[in-house]
């Protein structure tokens, strides 16, 4: 029987759509957000017996306790993000420490906590993003952490072998809750497909990375050919 899929950052956006996908396949799903009530509500909306769990990646010393009740896991998806705008000329140290902790230390601590609970089919998917290569005003920390995800894939795939570790780097996902309705014509004009990648396309690429046993240590770009 197919085992549990843990989706950290599964209460909204792409993580939530991945939770919907796996619950729809009859897989046991555990999704997380910062607030227990919200996570439980989203889990019940996702259905299929999905469970919600509270976990704040910006408090990494609490993560092991947050995950103490979780059993064996097949797939770990690390999709959480807190939105941020930070410029080096007006650098906000507290905001930078918060986001670096969340994405780099928090993601790694989840993996550390669950390393012994990953099953034989185990795989891990880390979410980065194309801001790592295409900065925009205010992306100082976002570009840095998304580039950091590439380094995490390198070391984690080696340290956890044979567990597979991959990352996905979407461009701007036009129909995601954060971007929907915002003016994105300039990005579309610089995308070879003439449109932005969609939530559904990112979900399907995520499933490929999680499930294809031959794919390991890959940093997959899903951006329609953003120039
Ligand atoms: N959307 C895009 O266009 C795009 C582009 C490139 C890369 N990405 C990447 O794709 C991933 C998903 O993006 P998205 O737009 O779908 O995200 P989203 O809709 O903003 O959802 C973010 C998720 O992260 C959780 N979260 C926020 N702060 C957290 C914290 N401190 N600890 C734990 N969880 C926390 C939120 O849960 P609660 O609010 O319930 O706590 C929510 O489930 C992110 O890693 C993002 O960087 C997205």
């Amino acid at each position: 029987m197919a085992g549990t899929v843990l989706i950290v950052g599964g209460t909204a956006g792409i993580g939530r759509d991945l939770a919907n996908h796996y619950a729809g396949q009859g897989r046991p799903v555990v999704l997380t957000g910062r607030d227990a009530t919200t996570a439980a509500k989203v889990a019940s909306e996702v259905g299929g017996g999905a469970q919600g769990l509270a976990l704040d990646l910006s408090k990494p010393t609490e993560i092991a306790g947050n995950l103490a009740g979780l059993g064996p896991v097949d797939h770990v998806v690390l999709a959480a993000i807190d939105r941020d705008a930070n410029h080096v000329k007006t650098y906000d140290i507290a905001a930078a420490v918060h986001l670096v902790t969340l994405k780099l230390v928090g993601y790694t601590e989840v993996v550390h906590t669950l390393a012994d609970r990953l099953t034989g089919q185990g795989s891990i998917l880390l979410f980065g993003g194309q801001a790592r290569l295409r900065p925009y005003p205010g992306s100082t920390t976002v570009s840095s952490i998304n580039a950091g995800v590439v380094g995490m894939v390198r070391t984690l795939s080696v340290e956890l072998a044979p567990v597979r570790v991959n990352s996905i780097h979407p461009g701007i996902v036009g129909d995601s809750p954060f971007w929907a309705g915002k003016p994105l014509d300039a990005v579309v004009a610089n995308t070879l497909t003439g449109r932005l990648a969609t939530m559904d396309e990112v979900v399907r690429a995520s499933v490929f990375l999680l499930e294809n046993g031959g794919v390991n240590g890959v940093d997959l770009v899903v951006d329609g050919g953003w120039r």
Side-chain angles (χ1 to χ4, degrees):
M1 158 151 174
T4 297
V5 181
L6 171 69
I7 303 174
V8 175
T11 58
I14 298 161
R16 180 178 178 145
D17 278 12
L18 258 174
N20 281 329
H21 168 85
Y22 276 113
Q25 302 258 308
R27 299 281 297 244
V29 169
V30 178
L31 63 87
T32 82
R34 286 163 292 187
D35 175 66
T37 307
T38 304
K41 178 172 178 288
V42 173
S44 94
E45 289 164 4
V46 164
Q51 295 178 1
L53 197 65
L55 185 158
D56 187 341
L57 290 172
S58 71
K59 298 175 181 167
T61 57
E62 299 177 11
I63 288 173
N66 300 140
L67 295 174
L70 194 68
V73 183
D74 269 6
H75 299 305
V76 177
V77 177
L78 288 151
I81 189 69
D82 207 358
R83 299 296 171 184
D84 171 81
N86 210 341
H87 302 252
V88 73
K89 289 187 177 171
T90 54
Y91 199 45
D92 180 337
I93 293 173
V97 168
H98 170 75
L99 197 57
V100 169
T101 303
L102 185 165
K103 193 119 191 179
L104 298 186
V105 183
Y107 276 28
T108 306
E109 174 56 9
V110 170
V111 173
H112 161 245
T113 300
L114 297 177
D116 293 337
R117 281 177 251 176
L118 288 163
T119 60
Q121 301 78 28
S123 73
I124 296 168
L125 178 62
L126 312 175
F127 269 76
Q130 283 299 75
R132 73 196 168 111
L133 298 176
R134 309 203 185 295
Y136 53 83
S139 77
T140 293
T141 313
V142 174
S143 293
S144 302
I145 59 171
N146 285 346
V149 163
V150 175
M152 288 171 65
V153 168
R154 301 278 77 69
T155 186
L156 296 179
S157 58
V158 170
E159 289 200 24
L160 298 175
V163 170
R164 296 180 300 104
V165 183
N166 297 293
S167 69
I168 187 161
H169 298 270
I172 288 175
V173 183
D175 61 347
S176 63
F178 183 74
W179 288 108
K182 292 190 173 134
L184 297 170
D185 290 351
V187 185
V188 173
N190 285 312
T191 302
L192 294 175
T193 50
R195 64 174 183 80
L196 302 179
T198 65
M199 299 268 284
D200 179 57
E201 287 163 341
V202 175
V203 166
R204 283 189 280 134
S206 301
V207 170
F208 162 71
L209 292 170
L210 285 163
E211 296 185 5
N212 189 303
V215 178
N216 192 19
V218 166
D219 305 300
L220 184 65
V221 173
V222 183
D223 69 357
W226 188 9
R227 297 276 133 172

